[in-house]
Amino acid sequence: MLSLKKSFLRAAVFSRQSGQITVWLSLSFLVFLSLYLVCLDSVQKQNQRRKAEHSVEAGMFSLFSEFEPHLLDDYSLLYIDTSFQSGRERTDEICGHLWHFIENNAAAPSGSVSQGLYLQGVNVKDLVRATDGQGSVFYRQAIRIMKSRTGVSLAEDWSFQEKFREEAEEGTQCFLKDCETYEGSVKNYENEDEEEALDSKIRQWDGLRNSFTLSAVLSAPEKLSGRAINPEVIPSQRELSQGMGCKDGSEERIVQKQWFISYLCKYFKHAQEMMESGRESGYLDYQMEYIIGGKSSDRENLELVIQKLLLIREGINYVFLISHPEFSGEAEALADILAGFTGSPALVKGLKHLILLGWACGESMVEVRQLLRGYELSAVKKAEDWQVSLPGLLELIVNPGKYDKQLKRQQGVKYEFFLRLLLSIKPAKVLAMRSLDIIEGELRLKEGCEKIHLDHCVESLTAQVWMEGIYLERTYGYD
């Protein structure tokens, strides 16, 4: 009996211990199961969010693949035309395109959309337009294009150009100062109470500089373009749609500007090449001259550029003449022959400088004619590079084409170099906006682009996307 009772006691104790272990395991299993379900739900949500992000980014990529093809083909520029060639901006259609792309990327291979990825809304904001920041957005993209296409440093070209510009400015100031000092000296002398009557040849030199007319600079006036534009509708003059693009403060840096000018030289036409080749149709033929001058016709812009170019060369040539004794002495000898009989040193000196001023103008006219015909000029002028003789100067007025062909071929700077020189002193915003005038005008002559507006061309934007329990905001653009 005793042994039987002990056995029962052992059995009872064993049963209670087994029950306690089962409850513990059950509670532990519930805790781990709850944790597992929470983790599974979190993973599922993260997976949905990851798929949503992938769909949105792929949708944005697809949207930006709809770039305006003519801008890319003609100017290597990447922009979305938000007007879709309609003439007015249509952000609703942008949202519609983006909705379609995101929905397609979110769909499973079977075509069904995964749970939690149903689109509820799409919006776009913060559009960055080509014209924003007074053309700064376009300005920066043009610089990126040139940097990606060439690894050549601009430092050497820039340093030479700056040195040349400084010398040209000094020469021009000297030329203008002496023009003011000596022009009219013969006329003033004649007003004095003198017995001698001055020879007509003496009076001929006073104001000779004004005898070199603009038309005499053009070797083929019949090839002069007659194209003109309406300045009221161009981007630089009309009221533009405003975006979120702005200046970054680097636009006026010299090297940045030189990159942009290199872009202009690559993609824009100028008078020298257009006079050689010509074209049947177009917006403006002298495009770089327009960027410099900003006038509404090719003729006006070319006239302004030639006047500036003549002034640069006149200053350089005048300084060359007065600094070389053989040329200066030749002018002084002629002045003595013509006016020495008056016994007036002031008149002789004045006449000498009038001869030098006219001589510099004649040489400059010849040089500009040659530049427009495709010739080069020596970067540093030497005595052997001088082309117009003093006895032949007056004949040049009657026969301006006498020196159109260089007898001694010069090498150094071309017409484009002087355009770069004139472009470099223009503010960056002027360069950018006038360039956009040309681009928009040229595009509007193409089929399908008749209503394009460059302030509707977008470089980047921010998209807002709503899905079930998911909100995403992504900025995308061309870089």
Side-chain angles (χ1 to χ4, degrees):
M1 290 293 289
L2 182 59
S3 61
L4 183 59
K5 188 179 289 186
K6 286 182 179 179
S7 298
F8 286 148
L9 287 172
R10 286 195 189 107
V13 171
F14 178 77
S15 178
R16 284 196 299 273
Q17 290 175 348
S18 177
Q20 290 171 354
I21 293 172
T22 301
V23 171
W24 183 85
L25 286 175
S26 298
L27 292 174
S28 299
F29 177 75
L30 289 174
V31 171
F32 282 112
L33 180 61
S34 300
L35 180 62
Y36 172 76
L37 292 174
V38 169
C39 292
L40 185 63
D41 182 63
S42 176
V43 169
Q44 186 178 12
K45 289 182 178 179
Q46 290 300 319
N47 186 50
Q48 287 178 340
R49 186 173 184 85
R50 183 183 61 80
K51 287 182 178 179
E53 290 175 348
H54 173 76
S55 299
V56 171
E57 290 181 5
M60 293 285 281
F61 181 85
S62 299
L63 178 66
F64 276 83
S65 67
E66 294 187 320
F67 49 80
E68 213 296 315
H70 300 94
L71 276 170
L72 180 64
D73 293 341
D74 295 346
Y75 300 100
S76 300
L77 297 171
L78 286 168
Y79 290 103
I80 300 174
D81 179 13
T82 58
S83 70
F84 297 92
Q85 301 178 352
S86 67
R88 62 180 183 85
E89 192 162 67
R90 300 167 63 183
T91 53
D92 56 335
E93 188 161 347
I94 300 175
C95 294
H97 283 223
L98 186 57
W99 184 297
H100 173 72
F101 293 138
I102 294 174
E103 200 169 48
N104 285 348
N105 283 290
S110 61
S112 60
V113 179
S114 303
Q115 185 177 0
L117 297 182
Y118 290 101
L119 275 173
Q120 295 179 337
V122 172
N123 184 44
V124 293
K125 65 174 186 176
D126 297 344
L127 280 67
V128 176
R129 307 171 188 275
T131 55
D132 284 348
Q134 294 180 301
S136 298
V137 173
F138 157 67
Y139 188 90
R140 290 193 292 269
Q141 187 174 147
I143 291 172
R144 291 198 299 270
I145 290 168
M146 294 310 297
K147 286 183 176 180
S148 66
R149 288 176 176 263
T150 176
V152 179
S153 172
L154 295 178
E156 185 176 347
D157 292 339
W158 165 73
S159 59
F160 170 71
Q161 184 174 303
E162 280 296 292
K163 182 180 178 181
F164 189 94
R165 185 174 66 84
E166 290 172 1
E167 292 178 355
E169 286 180 353
E170 291 177 4
T172 298
Q173 292 302 319
C174 179
F175 175 80
L176 292 174
K177 180 180 179 181
D178 281 1
C179 283
E180 185 178 351
T181 302
Y182 295 108
E183 282 189 340
S185 57
V186 173
K187 181 179 178 181
N188 294 335
Y189 178 84
E190 287 183 321
N191 290 336
E192 295 179 4
D193 185 18
E194 297 286 344
E195 295 181 359
E196 297 88 359
L198 295 181
D199 189 277
S200 60
K201 291 184 178 179
I202 299 178
R203 293 190 292 271
Q204 195 173 11
W205 290 99
D206 200 344
L208 177 67
R209 184 174 68 94
N210 299 322
S211 301
F212 298 103
T213 60
L214 179 65
S215 58
V217 177
L218 300 176
S219 58
E222 70 279 0
K223 293 184 178 180
L224 186 64
S225 169
R227 303 191 195 281
I229 62 173
N230 179 5
E232 296 180 359
V233 298
I234 56 179
S236 62
Q237 300 297 325
R238 70 169 187 261
E239 186 176 352
L240 302 172
S241 299
Q242 296 297 317
M244 298 302 294
C246 60
K247 298 180 179 181
D248 65 3
S250 67
E251 289 81 10
E252 293 296 343
R253 293 177 185 171
I254 295 176
V255 175
Q256 297 291 90
K257 187 179 286 188
Q258 290 304 315
W259 279 117
F260 185 75
I261 292 173
S262 296
Y263 175 86
L264 298 180
C265 292
K266 180 175 178 61
Y267 291 96
F268 290 74
K269 307 295 184 184
H270 56 69
Q272 187 266 313
E273 61 181 325
M274 294 307 295
M275 284 182 178
E276 288 183 353
S277 59
R279 58 177 179 171
E280 293 182 0
S281 61
Y283 186 61
L284 285 175
D285 282 349
Y286 310 155
Q287 298 174 351
M288 291 178 68
E289 285 81 359
Y290 168 77
I291 297 172
I292 295 169
K295 305 296 183 181
S296 59
S297 70
D298 277 336
R299 185 183 186 91
E300 290 176 296
N301 290 314
L302 181 59
E303 182 176 359
L304 186 146
V305 168
I306 286 179
Q307 287 173 347
K308 292 179 180 292
L309 188 50
L310 279 172
L311 191 58
I312 291 172
R313 295 307 304 175
E314 285 165 352
I316 293 173
N317 290 329
Y318 179 67
V319 170
F320 173 85
L321 287 173
I322 61 179
S323 60
H324 284 70
E326 61 272 26
F327 292 96
S328 180
E330 194 174 345
E332 187 172 2
L334 179 58
D336 276 332
I337 293 172
L338 293 175
F341 71 93
T342 63
S344 172
L347 179 61
V348 173
K349 181 180 179 181
L351 184 57
K352 170 191 171 181
H353 282 277
L354 288 173
I355 292 170
L356 291 173
L357 290 169
W359 201 359
C361 292
E363 179 76 7
S364 303
M365 187 188 75
V366 167
E367 290 176 333
V368 173
R369 285 178 67 97
Q370 291 176 351
L371 287 171
L372 289 172
R373 290 171 64 87
Y375 285 97
E376 297 181 19
L377 300 178
S378 298
V380 179
K381 201 172 188 71
K382 301 177 182 177
E384 56 267 27
D385 297 325
W386 195 268
Q387 301 177 81
V388 180
S389 65
L390 184 55
L393 180 59
L394 297 178
E395 183 186 350
L396 183 65
I397 300 174
V398 181
N399 182 20
K402 181 179 179 181
Y403 298 92
D404 278 356
K405 185 177 181 180
Q406 287 184 350
L407 298 178
K408 178 183 179 297
R409 193 81 177 203
Q410 300 181 35
Q411 291 184 339
V413 293
K414 300 181 181 180
Y415 178 72
E416 186 178 286
F417 170 84
F418 291 98
L419 293 182
R420 292 184 69 111
L421 203 66
L422 296 174
L423 288 167
S424 66
I425 60 178
K426 292 289 181 181
K429 64 179 181 181
V430 172
L431 298 180
M433 292 306 298
R434 289 180 182 172
S435 302
L436 292 173
D437 293 343
I438 294 291
I439 293 174
E440 184 177 284
E442 289 289 340
L443 288 181
R444 286 190 171 188
L445 297 176
K446 296 181 178 293
E447 185 178 357
C449 290
E450 294 85 354
K451 297 181 179 180
I452 193 169
H453 288 76
L454 288 182
D455 51 326
H456 296 161
C457 292
V458 171
E459 183 182 73
S460 69
L461 55 81
T462 298
Q464 298 172 298
V465 180
W466 290 268
M467 296 181 180
E468 296 180 59
I470 298 175
Y471 169 73
L472 295 173
E473 190 171 297
R474 291 291 183 272
T475 301
Y476 206 90
Y478 301 111
D479 191 2

